[in-house]
Amino acid sequence: IDLIRQPVRDPAETINKLLTEKKAGVVRGTTDITWLNGENFKLAKNSALLYGPFTQVLPSYVQFYDHLSKENNLDFGTPVLGYEAPFGRAQFVFVYDSAKLKDPPKSFKDLKAWVQKYPGKATYPAPPDFTGSAFIRQVFYGVTGGYAQYFEPGGLAKVSRNLPQLWAFLGDLKPYLWAKGKTYPDSSTRLNQMFADGEVLLTMGYSPTTAEADIRKGALPKTVRTFVMEEGTLANTHFLGIPFNATNTDGALVVADFLLSPEAQLSKFDPSRWGDFPAVDLKRLPPELAQKFQSINLGVSTLPVSVLESHRVPELPPEILVDMEKQWVKEVAAK
């Protein structure tokens, strides 16, 4: 198999391309396997853009994955039904330099007092940037009483009723943010650079090892650490999908099976390579192989797995996320 990686700035580009090919009747596409998550998966699934179900024919998935896990069967609340294969796990963390900051905020409810103490030294990327959008979703949970209420029967109806609390809180933060909230970084990359340059005291990312790679490259000092809020931080599984018009479906299945294999999952878990948390079920591995995962050096900046696991909170459905991003522009940025 010749595996040719095509970098993509936004997964929506791939989905839009597949939508165009579907309408045009293109039966031999240019994409054989693709990364999927959240709203992109829901659109692809609802538009019949995916081959499958296929996970049941992947030996790695059958042998080494938890088939009953919600994290493997739901993608931002959308049933997977075998149309994508779990590839890795992500969780949002905040990043600070322990040499410069001794008192990072411990909770979202404390965040207001913290930014007032350090005016101009905090901000977040402007939605729809993925990291900025995730930040406001977490604040939403934090200032409205937690996530559990939204996952009870009829709970999603509470979202729109509680959104004014989010906009009020973010509005209160605004005057104390970098540039007094008149503008926001356009990406997490920009925010990370501002943090490295000392313009702000916090940055953030949707990976527990987000700081470790930069520390090892020398882009951040060894005193940088990560933390999660007391209320918890968003976590999800990201997946692999096969387009409906993949030219080499058999090759895509082989590649997917390899990427789900314990050996590949172990390799990408190493922060010197990627630091992406594994989706494989360690309890299903031979003891000596499971020990190798537990022996991976995640670095001093990465929180213990037990801490991360105890602070994972689920994502809301994609349609709510998109609406929240649009409302942020009107309710926060434009004011």
Side-chain angles (χ1 to χ4, degrees):
I1 295 172
D2 292 326
L3 184 62
I4 303 171
R5 188 178 69 92
Q6 297 290 346
V8 176
R9 288 178 300 176
D10 185 342
E13 295 176 5
T14 302
I15 303 305
N16 289 334
K17 181 179 180 182
L18 291 174
L19 281 169
T20 301
E21 291 177 349
K22 183 85 170 181
K23 293 178 181 178
V26 178
V27 295
R28 292 179 63 83
T30 57
T31 303
D32 289 321
I33 190 168
T34 186
W35 182 92
L36 277 175
N37 197 222
E39 63 266 33
N40 294 302
F41 169 66
K42 184 169 186 176
L43 176 58
K45 183 177 174 226
N46 290 346
S47 303
L49 301 181
L50 298 175
Y51 166 86
F54 69 89
T55 53
Q56 74 278 6
V57 303
L58 303 180
S60 292
Y61 180 79
V62 171
Q63 185 173 0
F64 300 118
Y65 285 73
D66 183 351
H67 305 160
L68 302 178
S69 165
K70 284 187 177 180
E71 292 190 330
N72 290 343
N73 287 287
L74 294 174
D75 188 349
F76 282 60
T78 302
V80 171
L81 301 178
Y83 281 86
E84 56 179 0
F87 182 39
R89 307 235 189 272
Q91 185 168 352
F92 198 98
V93 296
F94 292 88
V95 182
Y96 73 106
D97 188 342
S98 62
K100 295 179 180 179
L101 183 64
K102 304 300 181 184
D103 61 339
K106 294 181 179 180
S107 70
F108 291 109
K109 290 186 177 180
D110 292 341
L111 190 59
K112 189 184 302 184
W114 188 89
V115 297
Q116 291 174 351
K117 182 177 180 180
Y118 298 99
K121 287 296 184 177
T123 188
Y124 55 94
D129 171 82
F130 183 80
T131 301
S133 178
F135 171 76
I136 67 169
R137 297 197 298 272
Q138 292 176 119
V139 173
F140 176 70
Y141 282 162
V143 301
T144 61
Y147 75 92
Q149 60 186 309
Y150 303 114
F151 292 86
E152 297 172 349
L156 292 180
K158 296 181 181 179
V159 173
S160 58
R161 295 201 300 267
N162 289 345
L163 277 176
Q165 297 177 57
L166 171 64
W167 309 137
F169 184 88
L170 293 178
D172 289 343
L173 293 186
K174 189 172 180 176
Y176 302 97
L177 298 180
W178 173 80
K180 296 184 177 180
K182 295 178 180 177
T183 185
Y184 295 81
D186 61 1
S187 67
S188 57
T189 301
R190 171 66 180 131
L191 178 61
N192 289 341
Q193 188 59 56
M194 291 167 62
F195 174 74
D197 293 342
E199 287 188 74
V200 293
L201 292 174
L202 291 179
T203 187
M204 55 194 76
Y206 215 136
S207 169
T209 59
T210 187
E212 192 58 30
D214 285 336
I215 291 173
R216 296 187 184 196
K217 290 186 296 187
L220 291 177
K222 295 180 180 179
T223 49
V224 165
R225 299 290 185 270
T226 57
F227 70 97
V228 291
M229 297 294 196
E230 291 174 351
E231 301 96 330
T233 52
L234 296 174
N236 69 61
T237 300
H238 55 96
F239 297 81
L240 298 169
I242 300 174
F244 73 99
N245 62 350
T247 299
N248 189 351
T249 301
D250 289 342
L253 291 169
V254 172
V255 170
D257 186 64
F258 166 73
L259 292 175
L260 266 65
S261 70
E263 294 78 11
Q265 292 279 305
L266 179 64
S267 177
K268 74 179 179 66
F269 191 26
D270 188 338
S272 65
R273 298 190 178 94
W274 181 356
D276 187 47
F277 272 49
V280 67
D281 185 358
L282 300 189
K283 296 188 294 294
R284 292 172 178 249
L285 303 182
E288 64 275 11
L289 189 52
Q291 181 59 42
K292 290 183 179 180
F293 281 87
Q294 295 163 356
S295 300
I296 288 285
N297 179 15
L298 297 175
V300 295
S301 70
T302 306
L303 290 169
V305 173
S306 59
V307 173
L308 292 165
E309 288 286 345
S310 65
H311 286 79
R312 291 172 69 89
V313 300
E315 286 277 12
L316 290 165
E319 58 271 18
I320 292 176
L321 316 188
V322 174
D323 183 60
M324 197 177 289
E325 290 170 356
K326 292 178 179 178
Q327 286 199 44
W328 178 85
V329 176
K330 176 184 175 183
E331 300 292 343
V332 180
K335 291 187 175 180

